[in-house]
Amino acid sequence: MIYDTAIIGGGAAGLLCAGFAAGRGKKVLLIEKMGRPGRKLMITGKGRCNVTNNCSRDEFIRAVTKNGRFLYSAYTAFGSADTIALFERLGVPLKTERGNRVFPVSDKSADIVDALVRFAAESGAETRHCNCTGLMISDGKICGVETGGGQVYAKSVVVATGGASYPLTGSTGDGYRFAAQAGHTVTELRPSLVPIISNEPWCKELMGLTIKNVTLSLYKEGKKKPLFSELGELLFTHFGVSGPLVLSASAHMRGGIGQYRLVIDLKPGLAAEQLDARLLRDFAANQSRDFINALGALLPRKLIPAAVKLSGIGAGTKVHQITKEQRRGFTALLKNLTVTPKAFRPIEEAVVTSGGVDVREINPATMQSKLVGGLSFAGEVLDVDAYTGGFNLQIAFSTGYLAAMHLND
């Protein structure tokens, strides 16, 4: 049997591509090496699946930190509104939360995965669970794929294997090997949307503390303007920092990590003068208390010892003994709590992989290879990545759709 197309990878891009390709009347084989498709989808959004971001095309492109312009055609063909409409049609009601993040009303990622699997199957796609070991190429054109179960002949192939993050879900970087086999350039792979190891021992002391409604700014050495600055939440860990703000900031850190610093504004709603006035009021109400015991209304309990130590003011100093200069120094500390990155956590812990198939070798209007006839790429295997907030899944859906619409063109 010769299939019209073989799609390698049963994740977000592959499942959606299979559904739309089969819906066009194509004879489609979806090849997934894991026992269940959509394994990585199951853990996105902390198990809730942040399926897309309800935004405009320009907002979407701005959220793509690498090669955003490459996605204009893909997002125009199948954008956030189309993703929302598809899942509503598939019987999965969605809701929009803070930051235009879109989730299933049920808060269950399994509902998204089940809908995509059902969409592919009911459209007529066949699924085969086996390991794909390579591409079959003859005279510059695709003729099928090699699998652990033998050769599969196909007129076209879509590589939608994901990246190299979360390998236990099946994302083990196979697509990069297939791309290289076809002569494609694979740009340097690195973790993106990844926790950060810090140099500060006090971060470890705060392990498990989540702080909300703070502003995190990322600065590069020699630059006064932040590369990234956003309000949200972050988490202190045994190795450094994590959480939504840190993951988004990591997407901007390219090159040597030692040239960056993270600055946390613990009280972004108050200007420095207002925070100083707040401290004056708190101190006036606690004049006879030790400094360390006078901050309970201002900071989370777990954060107080570290803040006191960093301030240089003795923990047992009576509040009425604290000088104006010391108070203002403490105000500056709360507005500029600095974390110096030492390294990224391993790529296996990253939400997405930055780097991948060089988009200069891909037709942005079709997702087809410019080097090998009948070969297309979709999703994280491409050298495009974005912030957290549903943007990376939308990349998978947009590129998967465009690939499906141009098979065998």
Side-chain angles (χ1 to χ4, degrees):
M1 177 187 293
I2 300 178
Y3 291 92
D4 289 314
T5 190
I7 300 170
I8 312 172
L15 286 166
L16 185 132
C17 182
F20 279 109
R24 294 180 60 205
K26 302 292 185 181
K27 182 74 174 172
V28 175
L29 176 65
L30 178 65
I31 301 171
E32 168 55 44
K33 67 179 179 181
M34 304 299 284
R36 175 182 170 87
R39 288 287 296 274
K40 190 174 178 181
L41 266 171
M42 291 291 288
I43 63 173
T44 60
K46 297 179 180 178
R48 297 173 61 215
C49 195
N50 183 183
V51 70
T52 188
N53 192 282
N54 195 358
C55 63
S56 67
R57 183 182 68 179
D58 289 345
E59 289 171 324
F60 171 78
I61 297 300
R62 284 197 295 270
V64 180
T65 56
K66 193 173 184 187
N67 295 321
R69 293 185 63 84
F70 172 79
L71 295 169
Y72 266 108
S73 294
Y75 188 84
T76 300
F78 194 85
S80 302
D82 301 298
T83 297
I84 292 169
L86 173 65
F87 284 106
E88 295 278 358
R89 178 165 64 83
L90 294 174
V92 184
L94 303 177
K95 59 182 176 180
T96 300
E97 297 185 358
R98 181 180 59 84
N100 293 324
R101 292 168 167 82
V102 179
F103 295 88
V105 170
S106 66
D107 286 329
K108 295 179 180 178
S109 57
D111 290 348
I112 296 296
V113 176
D114 290 345
L116 285 171
V117 170
R118 188 170 62 251
F119 174 53
E122 293 180 354
S123 297
E126 177 187 339
T127 298
R128 187 177 301 176
H129 292 280
C130 62
N131 192 36
C132 185
T133 57
L135 305 177
M136 295 164 57
I137 302 171
S138 178
D139 296 326
K141 293 182 180 180
I142 279 287
C143 56
V145 296
E146 301 275 0
T147 77
Q151 294 181 328
V152 173
Y153 293 93
K155 300 173 185 175
S156 63
V157 169
V158 180
V159 177
T161 50
S165 59
Y166 291 116
L168 291 178
T169 67
S171 296
T172 53
D174 295 343
Y176 307 128
R177 178 166 50 83
F178 302 150
Q181 180 193 348
H184 277 278
T185 303
V186 177
T187 63
E188 181 184 2
L189 305 178
R190 68 172 192 83
S192 186
L193 305 182
V194 64
I196 292 172
I197 301 169
S198 78
N199 283 308
E200 287 74 18
W202 54 264
C203 285
K204 184 175 182 179
E205 296 171 13
L206 299 178
M207 180 176 62
L209 174 65
T210 295
I211 50 177
K212 299 181 179 181
N213 298 317
V214 299
T215 295
L216 181 69
S217 300
L218 172 70
Y219 291 90
K220 190 173 184 179
E221 192 176 275
K223 303 290 183 180
K224 292 184 178 180
K225 186 177 180 181
L227 295 173
F228 165 87
S229 187
E230 191 171 297
L231 178 73
E233 68 179 68
L234 62 82
L235 169 70
F236 292 101
T237 73
H238 66 284
F239 55 77
V241 285
S242 186
L245 287 178
V246 173
L247 299 186
S248 289
S250 73
H252 294 269
M253 300 169 71
R254 304 186 185 279
I257 195 169
Q259 60 189 317
Y260 297 96
R261 74 182 192 278
L262 296 167
V263 178
I264 306 167
D265 184 347
L266 293 168
K267 298 293 176 182
L270 299 175
E273 297 79 10
Q274 294 172 312
L275 180 55
D276 187 54
R278 162 71 189 274
L279 274 173
L280 270 174
R281 292 195 298 272
D282 285 2
F283 284 2
N286 295 276
Q287 288 192 35
S288 300
R289 305 189 75 179
D290 293 346
F291 178 45
I292 197 168
N293 296 323
L295 302 172
L298 185 69
L299 297 172
R301 180 177 56 83
K302 196 169 185 176
L303 180 57
I304 291 173
V308 169
K309 187 184 298 184
L310 291 169
S311 75
I313 303 171
T317 303
K318 298 300 181 183
V319 168
H320 68 269
Q321 296 176 325
I322 295 175
T323 67
K324 180 179 179 180
E325 289 71 23
Q326 286 176 319
R327 191 188 70 244
R328 289 190 171 174
F330 188 60
T331 296
L333 172 70
L334 299 183
K335 297 289 290 182
N336 299 274
L337 184 61
T338 300
V339 175
T340 51
K342 181 179 180 181
F344 291 126
R345 292 293 287 177
I347 196 169
E348 291 83 4
E349 296 180 26
V351 176
V352 296
T353 305
S354 182
V357 179
D358 193 329
V359 296
R360 292 173 296 183
E361 299 167 356
I362 306 297
N363 184 338
T366 63
M367 293 299 121
Q368 292 176 342
S369 166
K370 295 178 180 179
L371 308 182
V372 176
L375 178 62
S376 300
F377 295 87
E380 193 180 343
V381 70
L382 292 163
D383 185 14
V384 286
D385 57 274
Y387 296 143
T388 58
F391 300 106
N392 288 289
L393 268 182
Q394 185 58 51
I395 290 173
F397 294 141
S398 295
T399 55
Y401 175 85
L402 202 58
M405 292 298 105
H406 293 279
L407 294 171
N408 311 123
D409 282 1

